[in-house]
Coordinates of all heavy atoms in Angstrom, one line a residue:
M797 N 10.1 18.2 37.4 CA 9.0 19.1 37.3 C 7.9 18.7 38.3 O 7.6 17.6 38.5 CB 8.4 19.0 35.9 CG 9.0 20.0 34.9 SD 8.3 19.9 33.2 CE 6.7 20.5 33.5
K798 N 7.4 19.8 38.9 CA 6.3 19.5 39.9 C 5.0 20.0 39.4 O 4.9 21.1 38.8 CB 6.6 20.2 41.2 CG 7.7 19.5 42.0 CD 7.9 20.2 43.4 CE 8.9 19.4 44.2 NZ 9.1 20.1 45.5
N799 N 4.0 19.3 39.6 CA 2.7 19.7 39.2 C 1.8 19.9 40.4 O 0.6 19.6 40.4 CB 2.0 18.7 38.2 CG 2.4 19.0 36.8 OD1 2.7 20.2 36.4 ND2 2.5 18.0 35.9
N800 N 2.4 20.4 41.5 CA 1.6 20.5 42.7 C 0.9 21.8 42.9 O 0.5 22.1 44.0 CB 2.6 20.2 43.9 CG 3.0 18.8 43.9 OD1 2.4 17.9 43.3 ND2 4.1 18.5 44.5
E801 N 0.9 22.6 41.9 CA 0.2 23.9 42.0 C -1.3 23.6 42.2 O -1.8 22.5 42.0 CB 0.4 24.7 40.7 CG 1.9 25.2 40.6 CD 2.1 26.0 39.3 OE1 1.1 26.3 38.7 OE2 3.3 26.2 39.0
K802 N -2.0 24.6 42.6 CA -3.4 24.5 42.8 C -4.1 23.8 41.6 O -3.9 24.2 40.5 CB -4.1 25.8 43.0 CG -3.8 26.4 44.4 CD -4.5 27.8 44.5 CE -4.0 28.5 45.7 NZ -4.6 29.9 45.7
E803 N -4.9 22.8 41.9 CA -5.6 22.1 40.8 C -6.7 23.0 40.4 O -7.8 23.1 41.1 CB -6.0 20.7 41.2 CG -5.0 19.7 41.0 CD -5.5 18.3 41.0 OE1 -6.7 18.1 40.5 OE2 -4.8 17.4 41.6
V804 N -6.6 23.6 39.2 CA -7.7 24.5 38.7 C -8.3 23.7 37.6 O -7.6 23.0 36.8 CB -7.1 25.8 38.3 CG1 -8.3 26.8 38.0 CG2 -6.2 26.4 39.3
D805 N -9.6 23.9 37.4 CA -10.2 23.2 36.4 C -10.1 23.9 35.0 O -11.1 24.4 34.5 CB -11.7 23.0 36.7 CG -12.3 21.9 35.9 OD1 -11.6 21.0 35.4 OD2 -13.5 22.0 35.6
I806 N -8.9 24.1 34.6 CA -8.7 24.7 33.3 C -8.1 23.7 32.3 O -7.1 23.1 32.6 CB -7.7 25.9 33.5 CG1 -8.3 27.0 34.3 CG2 -7.2 26.5 32.1 CD1 -7.4 28.2 34.6
K807 N -8.8 23.6 31.2 CA -8.2 22.8 30.2 C -7.1 23.5 29.5 O -7.2 24.7 29.3 CB -9.3 22.4 29.2 CG -10.3 21.4 29.6 CD -11.2 21.1 28.4 CE -12.2 20.0 28.7 NZ -13.0 19.7 27.5
K808 N -6.1 22.7 29.1 CA -5.1 23.3 28.3 C -4.9 22.5 27.0 O -5.1 21.3 26.9 CB -3.8 23.2 29.1 CG -3.8 24.3 30.2 CD -2.4 24.5 30.7 CE -2.3 25.6 31.7 NZ -1.0 25.9 32.3
C809 N -4.5 23.3 26.0 CA -4.3 22.7 24.7 C -3.2 21.7 24.7 O -2.1 21.9 25.3 CB -4.0 23.8 23.6 SG -3.5 23.1 22.0
K810 N -3.5 20.5 24.1 CA -2.5 19.4 24.2 C -1.2 19.8 23.5 O -0.1 19.4 23.8 CB -3.1 18.2 23.5 CG -2.7 16.9 24.0 CD -3.6 15.9 23.2 CE -3.1 14.5 23.5 NZ -3.9 13.5 22.7
K811 N -1.3 20.7 22.4 CA -0.2 21.0 21.6 C 0.6 22.2 22.1 O 1.8 22.2 22.3 CB -0.6 21.2 20.2 CG -0.7 19.9 19.4 CD -0.7 20.2 17.9 CE -0.6 18.9 17.1 NZ -0.7 19.2 15.7
C812 N -0.1 23.3 22.2 CA 0.6 24.6 22.5 C 0.5 25.0 23.9 O 1.2 25.9 24.4 CB 0.1 25.7 21.6 SG -1.6 26.2 21.8
G813 N -0.4 24.3 24.7 CA -0.5 24.6 26.1 C -1.3 25.8 26.5 O -1.3 26.2 27.7
C814 N -1.9 26.4 25.5 CA -2.7 27.6 25.9 C -4.0 27.2 26.5 O -4.5 26.1 26.4 CB -2.9 28.5 24.6 SG -4.0 27.7 23.4
E815 N -4.6 28.1 27.3 CA -5.8 27.8 28.0 C -7.0 27.6 27.0 O -7.1 28.4 26.1 CB -6.1 28.8 29.0 CG -5.2 28.8 30.2 CD -5.5 29.8 31.2 OE1 -6.6 30.4 31.1 OE2 -4.7 30.1 32.1
L816 N -7.8 26.7 27.3 CA -9.0 26.4 26.5 C -10.2 26.9 27.3 O -10.3 26.8 28.5 CB -9.1 25.0 26.1 CG -8.0 24.3 25.4 CD1 -8.3 22.8 25.2 CD2 -7.9 25.0 24.0
A817 N -11.2 27.3 26.5 CA -12.5 27.6 27.1 C -13.1 26.3 27.7 O -12.9 25.3 27.1 CB -13.4 28.3 26.1
S818 N -13.8 26.5 28.8 CA -14.3 25.2 29.4 C -15.3 24.5 28.5 O -15.5 23.3 28.7 CB -15.0 25.6 30.7 OG -16.0 26.5 30.5
D819 N -15.8 25.1 27.5 CA -16.8 24.4 26.6 C -16.1 23.9 25.4 O -16.8 23.4 24.4 CB -17.9 25.3 26.2 CG -17.5 26.6 25.5 OD1 -16.3 26.9 25.6 OD2 -18.3 27.2 24.8
T820 N -14.8 24.0 25.3 CA -14.1 23.5 24.1 C -14.1 22.0 24.1 O -13.8 21.3 25.1 CB -12.6 24.0 24.1 OG1 -12.6 25.4 24.3 CG2 -11.9 23.6 22.9
R821 N -14.4 21.4 23.0 CA -14.4 20.0 22.9 C -13.0 19.5 22.5 O -12.3 20.2 21.8 CB -15.3 19.5 21.8 CG -16.8 19.5 22.2 CD -17.6 18.8 21.2 NE -18.9 18.6 21.6 CZ -19.8 17.9 21.0 NH1 -19.5 17.3 19.8 NH2 -21.1 17.8 21.4
G822 N -12.6 18.4 23.1 CA -11.3 17.8 22.7 C -10.2 18.5 23.5 O -10.4 19.3 24.4
N823 N -8.9 18.2 23.1 CA -7.8 18.7 23.8 C -7.0 19.7 23.1 O -5.9 20.1 23.5 CB -6.8 17.5 24.2 CG -7.5 16.5 25.0 OD1 -8.2 16.9 26.0 ND2 -7.3 15.2 24.7
L824 N -7.6 20.2 22.0 CA -6.8 21.2 21.2 C -7.6 22.5 21.1 O -8.8 22.5 21.1 CB -6.6 20.6 19.8 CG -5.8 19.4 19.6 CD1 -5.8 18.9 18.2 CD2 -4.4 19.6 20.1
C825 N -6.8 23.6 21.0 CA -7.4 24.9 20.8 C -7.8 25.1 19.4 O -7.4 24.3 18.5 CB -6.4 26.0 21.3 SG -5.0 26.1 20.2
L826 N -8.5 26.1 19.1 CA -9.0 26.3 17.7 C -7.8 26.4 16.7 O -7.9 25.8 15.6 CB -9.8 27.6 17.6 CG -11.3 27.4 18.0 CD1 -12.0 28.7 17.9 CD2 -12.0 26.4 17.0
N827 N -6.8 27.1 17.1 CA -5.6 27.3 16.2 C -5.0 25.9 15.9 O -4.7 25.7 14.7 CB -4.6 28.1 16.9 CG -4.8 29.6 16.7 OD1 -5.5 30.0 15.8 ND2 -4.3 30.4 17.6
C828 N -4.8 25.1 16.9 CA -4.2 23.8 16.6 C -5.1 22.9 15.8 O -4.7 22.1 15.0 CB -3.8 23.1 17.9 SG -2.5 24.0 18.8
K829 N -6.4 23.1 16.1 CA -7.4 22.3 15.2 C -7.3 22.7 13.8 O -7.2 21.8 12.9 CB -8.8 22.5 15.7 CG -9.2 21.6 16.9 CD -10.6 21.9 17.3 CE -10.9 21.1 18.6 NZ -12.3 21.5 19.1
K830 N -7.2 24.0 13.6 CA -7.1 24.5 12.2 C -5.8 23.9 11.6 O -5.8 23.5 10.4 CB -7.0 26.0 12.2 CG -8.4 26.6 12.2 CD -8.3 28.1 12.0 CE -9.6 28.8 12.4 NZ -9.4 30.3 12.5
K831 N -4.7 24.1 12.3 CA -3.4 23.6 11.8 C -3.5 22.1 11.5 O -3.0 21.7 10.5 CB -2.3 23.8 12.9 CG -1.7 25.2 12.9 CD -0.6 25.3 13.9 CE -0.3 26.8 14.2 NZ 0.6 26.9 15.3
R832 N -4.2 21.4 12.3 CA -4.3 19.9 12.1 C -5.0 19.7 10.8 O -4.7 18.8 10.0 CB -5.0 19.2 13.3 CG -4.7 17.8 13.3 CD -5.1 17.1 14.6 NE -6.5 17.2 14.8 CZ -7.2 16.5 15.7 NH1 -6.5 15.7 16.5 NH2 -8.5 16.6 15.9
V833 N -6.1 20.4 10.6 CA -6.9 20.2 9.4 C -6.0 20.6 8.2 O -6.0 19.8 7.2 CB -8.1 21.2 9.4 CG1 -8.8 21.2 8.0 CG2 -9.1 20.7 10.4
N834 N -5.2 21.7 8.3 CA -4.3 22.0 7.2 C -3.3 20.9 6.9 O -3.0 20.6 5.8 CB -3.6 23.3 7.5 CG -4.5 24.5 7.3 OD1 -5.5 24.4 6.6 ND2 -4.1 25.6 8.0
F835 N -2.8 20.4 8.1 CA -1.8 19.3 8.0 C -2.3 18.1 7.2 O -1.7 17.7 6.3 CB -1.4 18.9 9.4 CG -0.5 17.7 9.4 CD1 0.9 17.9 9.0 CD2 -0.9 16.5 9.8 CE1 1.7 16.8 9.0 CE2 -0.1 15.4 9.8 CZ 1.2 15.5 9.5
W836 N -3.6 17.7 7.6 CA -4.1 16.5 6.9 C -4.5 16.8 5.5 O -4.4 16.0 4.6 CB -5.3 16.0 7.7 CG -4.9 15.3 8.9 CD1 -5.1 15.7 10.2 CD2 -4.1 14.1 9.0 NE1 -4.5 14.8 11.1 CE2 -3.9 13.9 10.4 CE3 -3.5 13.3 8.1 CZ2 -3.1 12.8 10.8 CZ3 -2.8 12.2 8.5 CH2 -2.6 12.0 9.9
G837 N -4.8 18.1 5.2 CA -5.1 18.5 3.8 C -3.8 18.3 3.0 O -3.8 17.8 1.9
L838 N -2.7 18.8 3.6 CA -1.4 18.7 2.9 C -1.0 17.2 2.7 O -0.6 16.8 1.7 CB -0.3 19.4 3.7 CG -0.3 20.9 3.6 CD1 0.8 21.5 4.5 CD2 0.0 21.3 2.1
V839 N -1.3 16.4 3.8 CA -0.9 15.0 3.7 C -1.7 14.4 2.5 O -1.2 13.6 1.7 CB -1.2 14.3 5.0 CG1 -1.2 12.8 4.8 CG2 -0.2 14.8 6.1
G840 N -3.0 14.8 2.5 CA -3.9 14.2 1.4 C -3.3 14.6 0.0 O -3.2 13.7 -0.8
K841 N -2.9 15.8 -0.1 CA -2.4 16.3 -1.4 C -1.1 15.6 -1.7 O -0.8 15.1 -2.8 CB -2.1 17.8 -1.4 CG -3.4 18.6 -1.7 CD -3.1 20.1 -1.7 CE -4.4 20.9 -1.7 NZ -4.2 22.3 -1.5
G842 N -0.2 15.5 -0.7 CA 1.0 14.8 -0.9 C 0.8 13.3 -1.3 O 1.5 12.8 -2.2
T843 N -0.1 12.7 -0.6 CA -0.4 11.3 -0.9 C -0.8 11.1 -2.4 O -0.4 10.2 -3.1 CB -1.5 10.7 0.0 OG1 -1.1 11.0 1.3 CG2 -1.7 9.2 -0.2
L844 N -1.7 12.1 -2.8 CA -2.1 12.0 -4.2 C -1.0 12.2 -5.2 O -0.8 11.4 -6.2 CB -3.1 13.2 -4.5 CG -4.6 12.8 -4.2 CD1 -5.5 14.0 -4.5 CD2 -5.0 11.6 -5.2
A845 N -0.1 13.2 -4.9 CA 1.1 13.4 -5.7 C 1.9 12.1 -5.8 O 2.4 11.7 -6.8 CB 1.9 14.6 -5.2
V846 N 2.2 11.6 -4.6 CA 3.0 10.4 -4.6 C 2.4 9.2 -5.3 O 3.0 8.5 -6.1 CB 3.3 9.9 -3.1 CG1 3.9 8.6 -3.0 CG2 4.2 11.0 -2.4
A847 N 1.1 9.1 -5.2 CA 0.4 8.0 -5.9 C 0.5 8.2 -7.4 O 0.7 7.2 -8.1 CB -1.1 8.0 -5.5
S848 N 0.4 9.4 -7.9 CA 0.4 9.6 -9.3 C 1.9 9.3 -9.8 O 2.0 8.8 -10.9 CB 0.0 11.0 -9.7 OG 0.7 12.0 -9.0
V849 N 2.9 9.7 -9.0 CA 4.2 9.4 -9.4 C 4.5 7.9 -9.5 O 5.0 7.4 -10.4 CB 5.2 10.1 -8.4 CG1 6.6 9.6 -8.7 CG2 5.2 11.6 -8.6
V850 N 4.0 7.2 -8.4 CA 4.1 5.8 -8.4 C 3.4 5.1 -9.6 O 4.0 4.2 -10.2 CB 3.6 5.2 -7.1 CG1 3.5 3.7 -7.1 CG2 4.5 5.6 -5.9
L851 N 2.2 5.6 -9.9 CA 1.5 5.1 -11.1 C 2.3 5.3 -12.3 O 2.5 4.4 -13.2 CB 0.2 5.8 -11.2 CG -1.0 5.1 -10.5 CD1 -2.3 5.9 -10.6 CD2 -1.2 3.7 -11.1
F852 N 2.9 6.5 -12.5 CA 3.7 6.8 -13.6 C 4.9 5.9 -13.7 O 5.1 5.3 -14.8 CB 4.1 8.3 -13.6 CG 5.0 8.7 -14.7 CD1 4.5 8.9 -16.0 CD2 6.4 8.9 -14.5 CE1 5.3 9.2 -17.0 CE2 7.2 9.3 -15.5 CZ 6.7 9.4 -16.8
L853 N 5.6 5.7 -12.6 CA 6.8 4.9 -12.6 C 6.4 3.4 -12.9 O 7.1 2.7 -13.7 CB 7.5 4.9 -11.2 CG 8.3 6.2 -11.0 CD1 8.9 6.2 -9.6 CD2 9.4 6.3 -12.0
G854 N 5.2 3.0 -12.4 CA 4.7 1.7 -12.7 C 4.5 1.5 -14.1 O 4.9 0.4 -14.7
R855 N 3.9 2.4 -14.8 CA 3.7 2.3 -16.2 C 5.0 2.3 -17.0 O 5.1 1.5 -17.9 CB 2.9 3.6 -16.7 CG 1.4 3.4 -16.4 CD 0.7 4.6 -17.1 NE -0.7 4.5 -16.9 CZ -1.6 5.4 -17.3 NH1 -1.1 6.5 -18.0 NH2 -2.8 5.3 -17.1
V856 N 6.0 3.1 -16.6 CA 7.3 3.1 -17.3 C 7.9 1.7 -17.1 O 8.4 1.1 -18.1 CB 8.2 4.2 -16.7 CG1 9.6 4.0 -17.2 CG2 7.6 5.6 -17.0
V857 N 7.9 1.2 -15.9 CA 8.5 -0.1 -15.6 C 7.8 -1.2 -16.5 O 8.4 -2.0 -17.1 CB 8.4 -0.5 -14.1 CG1 8.8 -1.9 -13.9 CG2 9.3 0.5 -13.3
L858 N 6.4 -1.1 -16.5 CA 5.7 -2.1 -17.3 C 6.1 -2.0 -18.7 O 6.3 -3.0 -19.4 CB 4.2 -1.8 -17.1 CG 3.5 -2.7 -16.1 CD1 2.0 -2.3 -16.1 CD2 3.6 -4.2 -16.5
F859 N 6.2 -0.8 -19.2 CA 6.5 -0.5 -20.6 C 7.9 -1.1 -20.9 O 8.0 -1.9 -21.9 CB 6.5 1.0 -20.8 CG 6.9 1.4 -22.2 CD1 6.0 1.2 -23.3 CD2 8.1 2.0 -22.5 CE1 6.2 1.5 -24.6 CE2 8.4 2.4 -23.8 CZ 7.5 2.1 -24.8
V860 N 8.9 -0.8 -20.0 CA 10.2 -1.4 -20.3 C 10.2 -2.9 -20.2 O 10.8 -3.5 -21.1 CB 11.2 -0.8 -19.2 CG1 12.5 -1.5 -19.2 CG2 11.3 0.7 -19.4
V861 N 9.5 -3.4 -19.2 CA 9.5 -4.9 -19.1 C 8.8 -5.5 -20.3 O 9.4 -6.5 -20.9 CB 8.7 -5.3 -17.8 CG1 8.4 -6.8 -17.8 CG2 9.5 -4.9 -16.6
T862 N 7.7 -5.0 -20.8 CA 7.0 -5.6 -21.9 C 7.9 -5.5 -23.2 O 8.0 -6.4 -24.0 CB 5.6 -5.0 -22.2 OG1 5.8 -3.6 -22.1 CG2 4.7 -5.4 -21.1
R863 N 8.5 -4.4 -23.3 CA 9.4 -4.2 -24.5 C 10.6 -5.2 -24.4 O 10.9 -5.8 -25.4 CB 10.0 -2.8 -24.5 CG 9.2 -1.8 -25.2 CD 9.9 -0.5 -25.3 NE 11.0 -0.5 -26.2 CZ 11.3 0.5 -27.1 NH1 10.6 1.6 -27.0 NH2 12.3 0.4 -27.9
G864 N 11.1 -5.4 -23.2 CA 12.2 -6.3 -23.0 C 11.8 -7.7 -23.4 O 12.5 -8.4 -24.0
K865 N 10.6 -8.1 -23.0 CA 10.1 -9.4 -23.3 C 10.0 -9.7 -24.8 O 10.2 -10.7 -25.3 CB 8.8 -9.7 -22.6 CG 9.0 -10.1 -21.1 CD 7.7 -10.5 -20.5 CE 7.9 -10.8 -19.0 NZ 6.6 -10.9 -18.3
K866 N 9.6 -8.6 -25.5 CA 9.4 -8.7 -26.9 C 10.7 -8.7 -27.7 O 10.8 -9.0 -28.9 CB 8.5 -7.6 -27.4 CG 7.0 -7.8 -27.1 CD 6.2 -6.6 -27.6 CE 4.8 -6.8 -27.1 NZ 4.0 -5.5 -27.4
G867 N 11.7 -8.3 -26.9 CA 13.1 -8.3 -27.5 C 13.3 -7.2 -28.5 O 14.1 -7.3 -29.4
L868 N 12.7 -6.1 -28.2 CA 12.9 -4.9 -29.1 C 14.1 -4.1 -28.7 O 14.3 -3.9 -27.5 CB 11.7 -4.0 -29.1 CG 10.4 -4.6 -29.8 CD1 9.2 -3.8 -29.5 CD2 10.6 -4.7 -31.3
Ligands
LIG201 ZN1 -3.2 24.9 20.8

């Protein structure tokens, strides 16, 4: 690949490669920024779900272990 085309001062989105307005902050276009926010929102929710499952499993394991020690 050659990048020898005229060097124009156009920012491009890091993700989708679309042109950015010169006053855009960062390397992502609005769409990709929104997507990223959604992504992290989903990750947060997923983490919470996983955490609650882990907590639940931990309780079950503790329950089983304590029962086992009591010899029931
Ligand atoms: Zn983009």
Side-chain angles (χ1 to χ4, degrees):
M797 272 178 69
K798 284 185 179 180
N799 271 332
N800 291 339
E801 292 175 14
K802 285 181 189 173
E803 272 195 38
V804 190
D805 197 30
I806 293 179
K807 280 189 181 180
K808 285 194 173 180
C809 173
K810 214 175 170 184
K811 274 194 172 179
C812 66
C814 67
E815 289 183 10
L816 298 176
S818 53
D819 60 341
T820 305
R821 280 192 173 188
N823 299 318
L824 295 176
C825 69
L826 275 177
N827 274 336
C828 290
K829 277 182 186 172
K830 276 184 192 171
K831 275 183 195 169
R832 198 167 65 165
V833 169
N834 284 341
F835 173 74
W836 286 114
L838 280 177
V839 168
K841 279 181 189 171
T843 307
L844 269 178
V846 169
S848 54
V849 168
V850 168
L851 267 175
F852 176 73
L853 284 179
R855 279 187 180 180
V856 170
V857 169
L858 261 179
F859 181 70
V860 169
V861 167
T862 47
R863 270 187 73 142
K865 278 185 182 171
K866 284 177 187 171
L868 290 169

